[in-house]
């Protein structure tokens, strides 16, 4: 066979593949309708794991790379979850009507849209509607506060009295202070939520939402069940422990990225020059740095400022670690650098295999997506 004939055969396979994908999409859309009517959650972890395991075994017996099949399946699953977002099951109709305080902001709009997809009545209370706050909040069963960290205390304090059975919740990234404000304002059920994602998600499946209990937990289980039906992974944690974890996960991470972005902006090399000669892993790093600077400067400033007093000790430790490493480099002390590396490696030892595998997949995708001029 010549090259043209072989390529023609590949084209036929690709055409069949597209037709199969269209058929699979139609089936997943029907599944979405059934789940919406039955109240089944979008994500079925056991079913997903069994499906992937079965197809990997089939791939091995067919001489196909099982990692390739798993990549394809996971991409198709993500597409299916996106396609199943239009109509969602309603887990707790008793939560209607819902009022989103700050509902004109990006996260407020995201939650309002998702609740409406599940059939809830959603009202928005933002600055333009404050004159009508009493009317908007009348009869509310869930009030979800979605405002900047530095505004939440004032916003909550200005809310009129809520019905005793109303659930009062917030979605800020700090939990101790906001929970205290919510519980001082409202004697009914209170819960603090922290969605570990931004407003640009394409679906809610596997998205993490941290839950910090406030008061009368039994009265807001319907809200948590609704999040689970959307496919969210709920992580219950004490508010203080949450804030301590966020000091590292968010504040220190954002600060490091913020400083590195400023550093790059002061260099003589253009971003295009750096990208042209960077490895896939540095491409990913640049993507994450660039992602931060594509977001709201007010949001990230608020996140860093909100816990600055609590992270001074961490900042000092970070600075000391950087300085001591710099001294080892200046001294050319290779043995000490290796020792320092080994100490850090020990911290990651229980997850290095998983991190290597996952990062390899990300690096391959980053390289596949590279645009050649």
């Amino acid at each position: 066979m010549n090259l043209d004939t072989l390529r023609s055969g590949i084209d036929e396979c690709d055409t069949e593949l597209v037709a199969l994908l269209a058929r699979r999409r139609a089936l997943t859309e029907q599944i979405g309708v059934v789940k919406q009517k039955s109240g089944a959650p979008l994500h079925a972890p056991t079913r997903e794991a069994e499906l992937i395991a079965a197809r990997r075994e089939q791939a091995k017996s067919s001489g196909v790379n099982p990692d390739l099949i798993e990549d394809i399946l996971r991409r198709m699953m993500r597409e299916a979850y996106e396609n199943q977002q239009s109509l969602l099951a309603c887990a707790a109709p008793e939560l209607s009507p819902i009022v989103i305080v700050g509902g004109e902001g990006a996260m407020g709009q995201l939650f309002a849209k998702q609740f409406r997809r599940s059939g809830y009545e959603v009202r928005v209370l933002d600055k333009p509607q404050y004159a009508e706050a009493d009317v908007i909040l009348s009869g509310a069963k869930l009030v979800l506060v979605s405002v900047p960290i530095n505004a939440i205390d004032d916003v909550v304090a200005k809310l009129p009295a809520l019905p005793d059975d109303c659930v009062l919740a917030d979605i800020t990234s700090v939990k101790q202070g906001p929970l205290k404000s919510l519980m001082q304002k409202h004697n009914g059920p209170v819960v603090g939520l922290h969605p570990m994602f931004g407003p640009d998600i394409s679906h809610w499946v596997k998205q993490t939402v941290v839950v910090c209990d406030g008061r009368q937990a039994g009265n807001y289980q319907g809200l948590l069940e609704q999040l689970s039906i959307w496919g969210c992974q709920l992580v219950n944690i004490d508010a203080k422990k949450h804030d301590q974890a966020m000091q590292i996960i968010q504040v220190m991470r954002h600060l490091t990225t913020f400083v590195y972005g400023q550093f790059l902006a002061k260099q003589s090399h253009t971003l295009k020059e750096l990208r042209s000669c960077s490895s896939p892993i540095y491409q990913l790093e640049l993507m994450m740095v660039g992602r931060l600077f594509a977001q709201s400067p007010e949001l990230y400033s608020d996140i860093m400022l909100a816990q600055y007093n609590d992270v001074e000790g961490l900042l000092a430790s970070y600075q000391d670690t950087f300085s001591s490493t710099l001294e080892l480099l200046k001294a050319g002390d290779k043995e000490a650098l290796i020792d320092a590396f080994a100490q850090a490696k020990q911290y990651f030892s229980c997850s290095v295999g998983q991190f290597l595998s996952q990062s390899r997949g990300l690096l391959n995708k980053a390289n596949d997506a590279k645009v050649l001029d």
Side-chain angles (χ1 to χ4, degrees):
M1 289 188 182
N2 59 33
L3 186 59
D4 288 341
T5 301
L6 292 171
R7 284 176 170 168
S8 177
I10 289 176
D11 290 343
E12 289 179 11
C13 288
D14 291 345
T15 300
E16 292 175 12
L17 180 59
V18 171
L20 280 173
L21 289 174
R23 180 185 169 197
R24 192 182 194 280
R25 173 179 175 136
L27 289 169
T28 58
E29 287 177 346
Q30 292 177 45
I31 288 174
V33 172
V34 172
K35 286 181 177 179
Q36 189 267 335
K37 291 180 178 178
S38 66
L42 283 185
H43 185 220
T46 302
R47 158 69 178 167
E48 178 180 299
E50 290 174 348
L51 186 153
I52 289 174
R55 297 293 83 78
R56 284 184 66 92
E57 287 301 316
Q58 183 181 355
K60 290 177 184 177
S61 63
S62 301
V64 178
N65 185 343
D67 291 339
L68 170 63
I69 297 304
E70 182 169 345
D71 283 348
I72 293 171
L73 284 171
R74 291 197 181 280
R75 180 63 186 86
M76 289 191 301
M77 288 174 182
R78 186 165 75 249
E79 184 77 12
Y81 295 140
E82 293 174 15
N83 294 338
Q84 293 172 0
Q85 292 293 304
S86 57
L87 287 175
L88 299 166
C90 179
E94 67 276 7
L95 290 178
S96 214
I98 297 170
V99 177
I100 310 288
V101 180
E104 292 188 359
M107 285 299 288
Q109 291 182 50
L110 178 71
F111 271 83
K113 184 177 182 180
Q114 196 74 349
F115 278 120
R116 286 176 177 137
R117 282 170 166 171
S118 290
Y120 294 95
E121 177 191 347
V122 178
R123 305 170 187 170
V124 169
L125 176 58
D126 217 315
K127 291 179 181 178
Q129 299 87 24
Y130 276 174
E132 306 170 74
D134 288 330
V135 175
I136 293 172
L137 288 164
S138 176
K141 299 301 181 183
L142 168 63
V143 173
L144 186 69
V145 183
S146 174
V147 298
I149 301 167
N150 60 1
I152 188 167
D153 291 343
D154 289 340
V155 169
V156 171
K158 292 176 182 177
L159 290 174
L162 302 175
D164 291 340
D165 61 346
C166 176
V167 176
L168 181 58
D170 81 294
I171 56 171
T172 56
S173 59
V174 178
K175 291 273 70 84
Q176 290 182 92
L179 259 180
K180 182 179 179 181
S181 294
L182 297 183
M183 294 179 73
Q184 286 176 341
K185 179 64 187 182
H186 183 48
N187 291 324
V190 170
V191 62
L193 304 175
H194 181 189
M196 299 302 297
F197 51 86
D200 59 345
I201 58 170
S202 57
H203 63 79
W204 292 58
V205 175
K206 300 183 184 180
Q207 301 291 349
T208 298
V209 178
V210 177
V211 180
C212 296
D213 291 319
R215 182 191 299 122
Q216 299 179 22
N219 290 0
Y220 54 76
Q221 291 308 303
L223 171 59
L224 303 186
E225 185 180 347
Q226 185 62 67
L227 292 169
S228 295
I229 280 183
W230 291 341
C232 294
Q233 177 189 12
L234 303 184
V235 177
N236 197 285
I237 189 171
D238 173 75
K240 183 177 180 179
K241 286 186 175 294
H242 165 274
D243 289 355
Q244 291 172 339
M246 288 306 108
Q247 289 167 11
I248 296 174
I249 295 171
Q250 281 197 328
V251 182
M252 294 298 296
R253 181 66 258 168
H254 293 330
L255 179 64
T256 302
T257 304
F258 182 53
V259 171
Y260 189 60
Q262 292 179 83
F263 167 78
L264 289 179
K266 295 176 181 177
Q267 305 310 303
S268 60
H269 300 288
T270 67
L271 185 58
K272 184 177 181 180
E273 288 171 339
L274 290 177
R275 295 187 67 185
S276 68
C277 56
S278 63
S279 63
I281 197 165
Y282 190 66
Q283 286 277 356
L284 280 176
E285 186 171 349
L286 284 176
M287 288 179 199
M288 298 312 296
V289 174
R291 178 178 173 83
L292 183 140
F293 290 100
Q295 311 297 320
S296 162
E298 290 82 6
L299 171 64
Y300 285 94
S301 296
D302 285 344
I303 289 174
M304 290 186 288
L305 287 170
Q307 297 199 67
Y308 172 73
N309 292 332
D310 297 324
V311 299
E312 282 191 271
L314 287 175
L315 289 172
S317 177
Y318 187 87
Q319 190 171 26
D320 288 346
T321 304
F322 192 95
S323 297
S324 62
T325 303
L326 185 59
E327 290 302 317
L328 295 179
L329 289 171
K330 287 180 180 179
D333 193 340
K334 182 177 179 180
E335 184 176 344
L337 287 169
I338 291 174
D339 287 342
F341 188 98
Q343 291 175 25
K345 182 177 181 178
Q346 180 62 33
Y347 178 81
F348 290 95
S349 61
C350 62
S351 299
V352 288
Q354 182 184 17
F355 286 167
L356 273 174
S357 175
Q358 291 176 336
S359 62
R360 188 180 300 115
L362 290 172
L363 292 174
N364 288 336
K365 289 180 174 66
N367 197 53
D368 292 343
K370 188 183 294 182
V371 177
L372 301 179
D373 295 329

